């Protein structure tokens, strides 16, 4: 009992180093690093985004639950279905800081295959972009966007 108490007295928290967690495979005696929580990758699809924003449908690689590097089945229950078009949504609604608001016209409302929400194709001058459509939005509507905050809102 005495050697055990001496060993515990010498042990300090500074000496303990955090090492990555490893999971041992029982059959092959191979050490595999376990993934961090929340840092995983999607094994459903890979969307290939170009350098610049575009309103063309984006290319998608459907993985079907397989690892893109090895091709091995990683997640069961994913696969099949139909190929859908994925549209790039412009999330930033930027308008002028001063002066009149920017007026955009809704060109059309469409359903994106990879989302449950509808998208609206809006045009301002010679630029087109997709935004999430509201419930009552219809083609021909005008959207006013401004970054100006009045003194008495």
């Amino acid at each position: 009992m005495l050697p055990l108490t001496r060993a515990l007295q010498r042990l300090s928290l500074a000496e303990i180093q955090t090492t990555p967690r490893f999971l041992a495979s029982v059959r092959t005696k191979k050490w595999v690093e376990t993934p961090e929580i929340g840092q995983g990758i999607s094994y459903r699809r890979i969307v290939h985004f170009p350098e610049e924003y575009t309103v063309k449908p984006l290319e998608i690689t459907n993985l079907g639950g397989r690892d893109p590097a090895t091709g091995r089945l990683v997640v069961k229950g994913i696969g099949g279905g139909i190929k859908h078009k994925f549209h790039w949504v412009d999330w930033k609604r930027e308008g002028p800081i001063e002066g009149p608001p920017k007026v955009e016209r809704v060109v059309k409302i469409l359903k994106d295959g990879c989302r449950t929400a509808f998208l609206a194709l809006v045009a301002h001058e010679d630029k087109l972009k997709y935004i999430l459509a509201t419930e009552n939005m219809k083609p021909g509507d005008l959207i006013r966007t401004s970054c100006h905050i009045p003194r008495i809102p």
Side-chain angles (χ1 to χ4, degrees), residues 21-94:
R21 296 176 298 156
F22 289 97
L23 176 69
S25 176
V26 179
R27 291 186 183 174
T28 59
K29 308 244 183 205
K30 181 179 176 183
W31 295 93
V32 179
E33 188 173 343
T34 57
E36 292 290 325
I37 296 174
Q39 303 298 321
I41 60 171
S42 173
Y43 292 108
R44 186 171 298 277
R45 67 181 66 90
I46 296 175
V47 180
H48 304 285
F49 289 97
E51 295 290 325
E52 289 186 15
Y53 180 81
T54 181
V55 292
K56 292 182 191 174
L58 302 179
E59 294 182 14
I60 297 178
T61 302
N62 290 321
L63 297 175
R66 296 186 177 272
D67 188 351
T70 62
R72 290 184 174 188
L73 187 65
V74 179
V75 181
K76 291 185 177 182
I78 297 177
I82 190 169
K83 291 186 178 183
H84 294 287
K85 293 181 178 179
F86 186 84
H87 298 280
W88 194 352
V89 174
D90 188 10
W91 296 103
K92 294 183 180 179
R93 297 283 305 275
E94 297 174 349

Side-chain angles (χ1 to χ4, degrees), residues 92-114:
K92 294 183 180 179
R93 297 283 305 275
E94 297 174 349
I97 297 173
E98 293 181 2
K102 179 170 74 169
V103 179
E104 299 170 324
R105 181 177 297 276
V106 177
V107 178
K108 68 178 179 178
I109 305 290
L110 62 124
K111 175 78 173 93
D112 190 19
C114 298

